[in-house]
Amino acid sequence: SNRKVNTGDNQDYSLPAQIKQHHISHMQCTPSLVKTLTTDPDALDALRSLQKLMLGGEVLPVSLAEELHQLVSGEVLNLYGPTETTIWSTSYLVNRSERTIPIGKPIANTEIYILDRHYQPVPIGVPGELFIGGRGVVRGYLNRPELTLERFSLNPFSQKLGNRLYATGDLARYSSDGNIEFLGRLDYQVKIRGFRIELGEIETVLNTHPQIQQSVVIATEDVPGDKRLIAYVVSSDDTLTTNKLRDFLFSQLPEYMIPSTFITLDTLPLTANGKIDRLGLPVPSIEKRSHLQYISPRNSTEEIIADIFGSVLNTQKVSIYDNFFELGGHSLLAIQIISRVKQAFAVDIPLRKLFEEPTIVGLSKIIETSNSSLLQQLQTTSSYKLENREEIEL
């Protein structure tokens, strides 16, 4: 902990104090813990004194890595490895100005394989499950033979008799330089609207945003059968808006991978061992997803659109300035909106218009503009017929 702990002997047993007192040169912890240390002025001197800072246990955000380069005079290492392979299996020396932080290459006496569902090696850039072999692989789980059989197997790629593989359940891929990129847990793979999504892949892209310090993406199901993505972010910029984040993700990911809701937190909840506590994340109801003050419809057009929004989103109260997508809307629901608007107002509105103007006010203006254009067209046609009536009659 970075909190000061004073006992009867008047000693300070906080982590920064212990680093200074014992002249610690190497420290290993999670990115979440070191992020907490960077917010404590008393801990900054302690971090500067380290020769090696070894981070592991969860994804290292790019923004945090850049911050640590300014604070730590020594090396910053990104480590990866489960307990079943005696903790660390790969290592990467973090450099400056990196778009993503790989987990690196295997350490000594360790073998890494990235395999598809047929247990065949995948090409560079193709995701697959990460398997670990070598001297670090343990014999199995104590008194759990079934789980041991499920996770451990003989290594078909090794000539050594008895060499075994451990199935990590992690998704990864090789980059062109031979480093390994961690993409998330297979456990965090979800299927939304027919698309299979890796939550870790969304988090990886979010963490490349220069104002994002940490992020977590989960799938929630407010309405049975309707899963939605929610992104929790810790930002260094109070002016960072949902629209800016959505546009940033749209530039790198397909629409079905864009979270419907973004929630900014001061810090992410942590478990007792310093890892991100996904179960401790607040899950908002649909009604709480709007941060704007409720403003009721001002005319009949807005009333009808509000009723359509509420019906499609399964909520009863929608402000005229609420963003359809921030309330949980997605492309399939957007199609329903456009269809119902066509039935109500007899206008054809392109789907992209709802992405451009995702509020009741914005959609109302589009409808009024469309109706004005149609009325003008009818008036022009009628005027033409009147002007040429005599010629037609003659």
Side-chain angles (χ1 to χ4, degrees), residues 43-231:
L44 297 182
D45 287 339
L47 289 175
R48 292 189 184 98
S49 68
L50 295 174
Q51 295 178 19
K52 289 185 185 293
L53 175 60
M54 299 167 286
L55 303 174
E58 57 192 28
V59 174
L60 174 59
V62 174
S63 58
L64 178 57
E66 292 177 348
E67 184 178 2
L68 292 173
H69 266 302
Q70 303 296 324
L71 297 175
V72 181
S73 58
E75 296 179 340
V76 177
L77 298 171
N78 191 31
L79 306 177
Y80 165 85
T83 304
E84 290 85 346
T85 60
T86 322
I87 311 303
W88 303 127
S89 301
T90 69
S91 175
Y92 180 77
L93 178 61
V94 180
N95 300 307
R96 296 177 185 272
S97 304
E98 300 204 61
R99 185 172 179 79
T100 58
I101 310 295
I103 58 175
K105 299 177 181 179
I107 62 175
N109 300 315
T110 300
E111 303 157 10
I112 298 293
Y113 305 90
I114 301 179
L115 309 178
D116 61 20
R117 58 193 180 97
H118 301 293
Y119 300 100
Q120 295 299 313
V122 297
I124 292 174
V126 176
E129 184 176 0
L130 194 151
F131 289 75
I132 301 175
R135 298 292 297 273
V137 178
V138 302
R139 288 176 291 177
Y141 299 102
L142 181 63
N143 299 327
R144 302 190 67 182
E146 293 183 359
L147 184 59
T148 297
L149 188 62
E150 177 186 341
R151 307 299 292 189
F152 295 87
S153 62
L154 291 177
N155 187 348
F157 307 102
S158 176
Q159 301 296 324
K160 295 181 180 179
L161 186 64
N163 199 345
R164 309 170 74 212
L165 281 182
Y166 170 69
T168 66
D170 290 333
L171 193 71
R173 63 186 171 200
Y174 283 111
S175 59
S176 57
D177 60 3
N179 282 301
I180 299 166
E181 183 181 353
F182 175 81
L183 300 176
R185 290 284 302 168
L186 289 174
D187 303 345
Y188 300 152
Q189 187 182 80
V190 298
K191 198 169 186 179
I192 295 182
R193 308 197 300 277
F195 296 99
R196 194 167 298 280
I197 296 173
E198 311 291 349
L199 299 181
E201 188 172 355
I202 304 173
E203 294 170 358
T204 298
V205 175
L206 269 175
N207 288 334
T208 64
H209 193 286
Q211 275 78 52
I212 295 298
Q213 298 174 340
Q214 290 177 292
S215 70
V216 174
V217 179
I218 66 168
T220 187
E221 197 167 348
D222 297 317
V223 180
D226 184 18
K227 287 184 179 179
R228 303 167 191 266
L229 297 175
I230 297 180

Side-chain angles (χ1 to χ4, degrees), residues 32-43:
S32 296
L33 177 56
V34 80
K35 179 59 187 175
T36 302
L37 291 175
T38 62
T39 63
D40 183 356
D42 294 336

Side-chain angles (χ1 to χ4, degrees), residues 352-387:
R352 61 178 175 80
K353 288 292 185 181
L354 182 57
F355 284 88
E356 296 172 0
E357 297 287 350
T359 65
I360 293 172
V361 169
L363 201 55
S364 176
K365 291 179 181 178
I366 293 173
I367 292 171
E368 291 172 358
T369 302
S370 299
N371 285 334
S372 298
S373 299
L374 179 61
L375 180 61
Q376 184 178 4
Q377 183 179 356
L378 291 174
Q379 290 174 342
T380 302
T381 304
S382 299
S383 176
Y384 174 81
K385 288 181 178 179
L386 288 173
E387 291 174 358

